[in-house]
Amino acid sequence: MTNHNGPLYKRIVRELANATNFDYPETLQDINECKRDFEDLIVIRLQRRRARAEEQMHQAQENQSQKEQIPLICLDETTGTIQRKLGDASNNAAASQTNLNNNTKSGGKISPETGMPVRKWMILGPHEWAFCDYSHQPKPPRSHYDHVTKNLVLNMDHYCPW
């Protein structure tokens, strides 16, 4: 198991930063700037993702409105008869979009495509640096924060309870 703090760890992380062309912050001011840059990057990518999803929803609604109306079978409860009506499929898309926008129970950003929460690691590429909210330092690619040892762990290189 690698020790994830101390001079050897810092040297390895700085070598990784040099190899990936990442300007590793040295001072507290640099670290705060790195955190702001990371948060700005996440916001920009979320906005792009939302714009793409809205464009796709708009195109889907246009395609549905251009198609013929589909027949719907309805039960009239007052008379007990079955009736056929022509329904507009675009209403179903609008209803699903309304449900998607109202689904904010998780408290985080909601993906327009899936309706699931979007995590920061989902937006980053596999070789991009992030910023760890727990250790308050830049997080190398493929590293994770270990809540047991309270350190960043490179490439999941730590104990395994199984």
Side-chain angles (χ1 to χ4, degrees):
M1 181 167 121
T2 307
N3 187 8
H4 297 288
N5 52 17
L8 180 61
Y9 174 77
K10 289 179 181 179
R11 191 188 85 204
I12 291 170
V13 168
R14 281 176 176 69
E15 286 177 13
L16 182 60
N18 288 336
T20 57
N21 295 325
F22 178 74
D23 187 22
Y24 196 85
E26 300 294 333
T27 66
L28 184 59
Q29 182 180 2
D30 291 342
I31 291 174
N32 289 333
E33 184 179 334
C34 178
K35 181 179 180 180
R36 280 191 306 273
D37 290 345
F38 174 69
E39 290 170 351
D40 291 344
L41 175 70
I42 295 298
V43 167
I44 289 169
R45 290 195 180 169
L46 281 172
Q47 289 172 346
R48 285 182 192 162
R49 179 181 274 206
R50 181 168 297 279
R52 271 195 314 266
E54 288 173 357
E55 182 180 323
Q56 289 173 353
M57 294 269 281
H58 181 67
Q59 288 176 352
Q61 288 175 351
E62 284 180 1
N63 290 342
Q64 288 294 333
S65 65
Q66 291 174 358
K67 291 182 180 179
E68 292 182 31
Q69 291 185 336
I70 54 175
L72 297 176
I73 299 174
C74 300
L75 175 64
D76 187 359
E77 294 180 9
T78 57
T79 62
T81 60
I82 296 176
Q83 299 176 351
R84 288 185 179 264
K85 295 182 179 179
L86 289 178
D88 186 7
S90 64
N91 289 338
N92 295 337
S96 67
Q97 183 179 10
T98 304
N99 292 339
L100 197 87
N101 291 336
N102 292 336
N103 186 13
T104 56
K105 291 180 182 176
S106 67
K109 302 286 184 193
I110 302 296
S111 170
E113 299 97 356
T114 63
M116 301 295 293
V118 177
R119 307 284 184 227
K120 292 178 185 175
W121 60 267
M122 294 176 173
I123 297 173
L124 294 175
H127 304 291
E128 289 186 286
W129 285 68
F131 192 85
C132 181
D133 293 330
Y134 299 106
S135 65
H136 305 290
Q137 64 184 14
K139 189 172 99 163
R142 299 181 63 212
S143 65
H144 303 276
Y145 184 78
D146 181 22
H147 292 276
V148 174
T149 62
K150 309 269 190 262
N151 287 312
L152 279 175
V153 179
L154 296 175
N155 300 329
M156 293 300 287
D157 175 31
H158 66 297
Y159 64 90
C160 180
W162 291 277

